[in-house]
C-alpha cells in the first residue's frame, strides 16, 4: 500500500520515574530497587533517542505519560500508612514509558478489513502495569482516531496475560507489503512468570482479522524467561526479512526458524551463538532489545544501548557481524541508562506502527519544534531526582501532576488531563 511507513512511537518517560523494583523476573529492575532515580535525565535521554531516529530520516512519534499517581488504584486497594509500600509504589509507576507493551499492532496489509488494528495489552501479570490499558487506549483512540484507517480494540480478557508488541514480530518484504505475524508465548511454571499467554496471542490474531496461514505461534525458551528475558524482545527482534536472535531465544530455535521460513521464504536469520555471547550477557546488555530499523538508504541499522559497547563479548560480536557483510550494516549505540536500570532498552521504549503518517493525529508525531518544546518542559518541570522515600509524598505528587499537565498543554492535548 502506498504511503505506508513504519513509525516508531516512543514513550516519553514520566515525571514519576523511580526504582521500586516492582517487576518480578526483570533482573535489572530488581537489582536497582531502592536506588535514586533521575526522571529529568531519563526523559531527555528518551527524547535524544527519538531525535536520532528522526535525524536519520525516519518517521517518529510518541505517546505520553499516564496520570500518576493513580489515586483510583490507591483507593481501590485501600492503601494507607500501614500498607506494603510496593502497592503504593505501583500507583506511582512510570512503566507506561515502555510502549512496546502498549499494544499489539497489525498493519493494514495483513488484516481482513484493510485497516491497521491495535489491541492494548492487558498486562495483568504485574499490578503496576495492569492499571495501564484503559488510559493507554484513550491515547491510541486519539492518535489513531481515523476509523477509515484504524481499529482500536479493548484488551483481551484478563484471564490470559497479554504483554503486547514485546512478544510479537512481523516479517515482510517491505513495511507496506503483506506480512507474516509471529506471536511468541511462554509456558507457566518456571522460576519467573511467563507473561504472554498463548490464548491471548491467538485472541489478538482473531481480533485483528489475520489470515491463519500467515500467523505463527512460537514458544519462548523457558530458560530465557528464567534468565530474565521476561519478554521475547529481550532475546530476539525482527525487521522486514531479518530475524536477529540469540541461539537460546526459542524453545527450539531450529524449529522456530524453519517454521518462520516455511511461511516467509525470504527470511534471513542472524543468530548469535551462546559461545560468542552468553544468554546472561545478552540479557545484561540488552543486545536484542534493540531497534532494528530500515534506513532511507535501504540499509538496516541496529540501535543498541551503550551497555553493548561496554561489553567486550557483545561489541566483538557486533564488529564481526558488520565485517561479515550480512543484512545488518550499522550498529548505533544510544544512551538510555535510566531506562536500562529499570529493565527497558531501546526496543522497550517504542511501539512500531505501520501507517501513512497523514492518517495519524499530528499531535503525536515528532518534529524539531515539538522536540524542543518537549525538552523545554521536561528540563523545567520534571523532578531532577526521586528517592524511594519520596514516593507517596504530597509535594512530589503535586510536582508530578503539574509536570504532566504542562506537557499536555504544550502539545494541545489537555483532553488527556
Amino acid at each position: 500500500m502506498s504511503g505506508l511507513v513504519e513509525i516508531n512511537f516512543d514513550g516519553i518517560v514520566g515525571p514519576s520515574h523511580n526504582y521500586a523494583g516492582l517487576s518480578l523476573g526483570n533482573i535489572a529492575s530488581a537489582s536497582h530497587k531502592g536506588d535514586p532515580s533521575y526522571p529529568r535525565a531519563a526523559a531527555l535521554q528518551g527524547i535524544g533517542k527519538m531525535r536520532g531516529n528522526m535525524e536519520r530520516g525516519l518517521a517518529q512519534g510518541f505517546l505520553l505519560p499516564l496520570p500518576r499517581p493513580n489515586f483510583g488504584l490507591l483507593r481501590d486497594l485501600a492503601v494507607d500508612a500501614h500498607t506494603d509500600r510496593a502497592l503504593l509504589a505501583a500507583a506511582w509507576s512510570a512503566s507506561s514509558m515502555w510502549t512496546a507493551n502498549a499494544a499489539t499492532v497489525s498493519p493494514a496489509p495483513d488484516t481482513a478489513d484493510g485497516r491497521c488494528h491495535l489491541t492494548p495489552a492487558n498486562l495483568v501479570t504485574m499490578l503496576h502495569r495492569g492499571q495501564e490499558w484503559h488510559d493507554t487506549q484513550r491515547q491510541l483512540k486519539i492518535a489513531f482516531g481515523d476509523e477509515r484507517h484504524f481499529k482500536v480494540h479493548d484488551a483481551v480478557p484478563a484471564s490470559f496475560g497479554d504483554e503486547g508488541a514485546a512478544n510479537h514480530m512481523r516479517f515482510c518484504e517491505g513495511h507496506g507489503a503483506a506480512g507474516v505475524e509471529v506471536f511468541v508465548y511462554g509456558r507457566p511454571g518456571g522460576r519467573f512468570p511467563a507473561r504472554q499467554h498463548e490464548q491471548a496471542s491467538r485472541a489478538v490474531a482473531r481480533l485483528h482479522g489475520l489470515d491463519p496461514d500467515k500467523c505463527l505461534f512460537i514458544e519462548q525458551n523457558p530458560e530465557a524467561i528464567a534468565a530474565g528475558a521476561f519478554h521475547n524482545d529481550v532475546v530476539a527482534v525482527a525487521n522486514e526479512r531479518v530475524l536477529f536472535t540469540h541461539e537460546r531465544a526459542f524453545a527450539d530455535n531450529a524449529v522456530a526458524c524453519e517454521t518462520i521460513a516455511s511461511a516467509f521464504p525470504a527470511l534471513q536469520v542472524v543468530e548469535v551463538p551462546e559461545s560468542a555471547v552468553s544468554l546472561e550477557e545478552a540479557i545484561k546488555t540488552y543486545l536484542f532489545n534493540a531497534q532494528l530499523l530500515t534506513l532511507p538508504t535501504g540499509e538496516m541499522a541496529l540501535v543498541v544501548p551503550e551497555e553493548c559497547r561496554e561489553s567486550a563479548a557483545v561489541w566483538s560480536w557486533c564488529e564481526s557481524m558488520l565485517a561479515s557483510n550480512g543484512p545488518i550494516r550499522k550498529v548505533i549505540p544510544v544512551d538510555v541508562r535510566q531506562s536500562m536500570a529499570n529493565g527497558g532498552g531501546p526496543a522497550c521504549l517504542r511501539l512500531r506502527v505501520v501507517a501513512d503518517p497523514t492518517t495519524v493525529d499530528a499531535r503525536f508525531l515528532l518534529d524539531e519544534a515539538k522536540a524542543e518544546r518537549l525538552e523545554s518542559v521536561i528540563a523545567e518541570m520534571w523532578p531532577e531526582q526521586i528517592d524511594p522515600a519520596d514516593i507517596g509524598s504530597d509535594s512530589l505528587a503535586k510536582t508530578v501532576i503539574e509536570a504532566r499537565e504542562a506537557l499536555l498543554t504544550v502539545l494541545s492535548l489537555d483532553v488527556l488531563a
Side-chain angles (χ1 to χ4, degrees), residues 1-300:
M1 294 186 181
S2 62
L4 297 185
V5 298
E6 180 180 82
I7 311 170
N8 284 276
F9 285 83
D10 281 40
I12 297 173
V13 180
S16 67
H17 164 67
N18 69 93
Y19 299 138
L22 299 174
S23 190
L24 181 63
N26 182 331
I27 304 296
S29 171
S31 65
H32 289 275
K33 180 180 180 178
D35 289 353
S37 64
Y38 301 90
R40 187 182 306 165
L44 293 175
Q45 286 170 2
I47 301 294
K49 179 172 84 74
M50 287 190 252
R51 275 185 175 278
N53 285 339
M54 192 170 64
E55 289 164 3
R56 293 177 192 106
L58 300 169
Q60 181 67 55
F62 54 85
L63 294 177
L64 300 164
L66 303 187
R68 295 292 179 266
N70 182 347
F71 293 112
L73 181 63
L74 294 172
R75 181 186 62 246
D76 291 346
L77 293 173
V79 172
D80 60 24
H82 307 290
T83 306
D84 184 341
R85 281 190 64 82
L87 298 181
L88 173 68
W92 287 72
S93 176
S95 53
S96 65
M97 61 198 260
W98 297 304
T99 57
N101 304 114
T104 304
V105 183
S106 293
D110 297 356
T111 67
D113 66 3
R115 294 187 291 174
C116 176
H117 285 244
L118 303 95
T119 295
N122 62 35
L123 299 165
V124 294
T125 307
M126 302 288 165
L127 172 65
H128 68 289
R129 304 228 59 183
Q131 65 183 314
E132 292 177 12
W133 83 260
H134 292 282
D135 285 322
T136 296
Q137 186 191 51
R138 284 185 70 206
Q139 286 198 55
L140 297 178
K141 284 191 169 183
I142 297 172
F144 308 107
D146 187 338
E147 294 187 359
R148 295 170 300 172
H149 301 283
F150 301 100
K151 172 64 177 176
V152 179
H153 298 270
D154 288 342
V156 301
S159 301
F160 305 119
D162 177 28
E163 300 274 321
N167 295 298
H168 175 259
M169 301 184 293
R170 180 174 186 259
F171 296 93
C172 52
E173 292 286 358
H175 292 303
V180 171
E181 300 197 20
V182 177
F183 297 81
V184 182
Y185 63 90
R187 292 195 185 277
R191 174 188 175 201
F192 295 134
R195 304 187 189 186
Q196 185 70 32
H197 197 289
E198 180 182 356
Q199 291 306 322
S201 296
R202 292 185 180 276
V204 170
R206 292 191 296 271
L207 283 168
H208 291 190
L210 302 182
D211 180 348
D213 293 333
K214 299 294 184 182
C215 288
L216 303 175
F217 301 89
I218 294 175
E219 183 186 351
Q220 188 177 357
N221 187 350
E223 295 175 357
I225 297 173
F230 51 100
H231 294 132
N232 179 64
D233 68 2
V234 178
V235 284
V237 62
N239 181 57
E240 295 185 332
R241 300 176 305 281
V242 176
L243 170 62
F244 180 51
T245 179
H246 192 271
E247 180 184 10
R248 296 169 65 194
F250 305 106
D252 188 322
N253 251 42
V255 169
C257 292
E258 289 169 9
T259 301
I260 298 170
S262 293
F264 184 72
L267 179 70
Q268 295 176 269
V269 179
V270 180
E271 184 177 274
V272 181
E274 174 79 15
S275 59
V277 178
S278 69
L279 180 62
E280 289 71 23
E281 188 71 3
I283 292 170
K284 178 183 175 184
T285 60
Y286 270 33
L287 169 62
F288 297 93
N289 195 253
Q291 288 182 262
L292 185 54
L293 304 165
T294 302
L295 302 177
T297 60
E299 290 184 313
M300 283 198 198

